[in-house]
Amino acid sequence: MNDDIRYNRTFDLLPGRVAEVAPGVRAVVASNPGPFTFKGTVSYIIGRGKVAILDPGPDDDAHIAALLDAVRGETVTDLFVTHTHRDHSPAVPKVKAATGATVYAQGPHRLARALHVGEAGRLDASADMDFRPDIALADGDVVSGSGWTLEAVATPGHTANHMAYALKEADLIFSGDHVMAWSTSIVAPPDGAMSDYMASLEKLARRSEPIYLPGHGGPVREAPRFVRAYIRHRHAREASILRRLEKGAADIPTLVRAIYIGLDPRLTGAASLSVLAHLEDLVARGMVATEGPPSIGGLYRLTEPPLPAA
Ligand SMILES: [Zn+2]
């Protein structure tokens, strides 16, 4: 893809191994690599002695054993969850049962908007519908433990309940799936919403933490600059959609073919949903029109005729 994001796909951690990735932060990666998960979900252990675990990961016994092994002799006081996709939160019940830790998150899984007719159940496979936090966090809430302080940073967009966490002691942010170094984030309605996602990026761009530790892959460095590149990337994607629509009405498969060159075929569904996310936003802003609510099968056109070329 031709854009100005400097992706970093370096990631050497092997499943089951523990690595110190920042002062007071250890990482354990799950063995669930894939087109959406890169090398696997990264679970983080925060602190020493009395620790917190962030994103315990999928319900995978080998990963849960590796995580508990990594904290042998220590006390896990708290569990934090960035969002309720099945690669992030389903290990919570087993880790909680083993440790008695308190579970924090924004809330249970929920959709970014009401379902349209005929849309039901489309994304159930990716969501952990059973997850419930012990304590629901709001934006700006602060939780501290033994030698660590986490500030909840509400970052809806990838999911409606996505929460990033700023670790004060290390001046870094656990960015979950909102900002990752290896790839852009997937924003797929009705789970996610582009307008929320853009607002969450703008919010992070105003913060100063230089390093992000994401839910997949290695750290994001020079994070505020990287986030601004993410924002430009989305604006460019939106501009390509509008440019294609200037040639006439188009459906989503046509737009995907026009915009994504050399797309991994396994990602066609995700790309279609990402285009739908942009179209929902453009329809809400009155720039694009469609019949009824924006849907994956809809036909889209510009609301205004294009300006004549100068
Ligand atoms: Zn996710």
Side-chain angles (χ1 to χ4, degrees), residues 83-85 87-88 158-159 162 177 216:
H83 68 296
T84 42
H85 278 154
D87 52 330
H88 290 263
H158 173 70
T159 62
H162 195 286
D177 284 6
H216 306 274

Side-chain angles (χ1 to χ4, degrees), residues 14-143:
L14 296 172
R17 305 282 177 79
V18 190
E20 177 128 0
V21 290
V25 181
R26 287 165 282 170
V28 180
V29 63
S31 184
N32 61 339
F36 300 106
T37 55
F38 192 42
K39 304 287 178 81
T41 306
V42 187
S43 301
Y44 294 100
I45 301 161
I46 303 161
R48 281 279 175 189
K50 287 184 178 170
V51 304
I53 293 177
L54 185 132
D55 278 358
D59 182 8
D60 168 344
D61 286 337
H63 179 62
I64 292 166
L67 210 43
L68 294 175
D69 216 43
V71 295
R72 192 174 301 265
E74 300 177 283
T75 307
V76 181
T77 54
D78 304 275
L79 300 178
F80 293 87
V81 168
T82 60
H83 68 296
T84 42
H85 278 154
R86 298 200 66 85
D87 52 330
H88 290 263
S89 57
V92 164
K94 286 178 184 169
V95 176
K96 182 180 166 65
T99 61
T102 306
V103 181
Y104 297 85
Q106 197 273 343
H109 195 80
R110 65 191 156 82
L111 301 179
R113 58 156 168 78
L115 286 175
H116 305 320
V117 176
E119 210 180 29
R122 194 154 48 77
L123 281 169
D124 279 3
S126 65
D128 174 7
M129 303 304 292
D130 299 328
F131 176 82
R132 299 287 179 279
D134 295 320
I135 296 179
L137 294 172
D139 184 43
D141 284 353
V142 173
V143 181

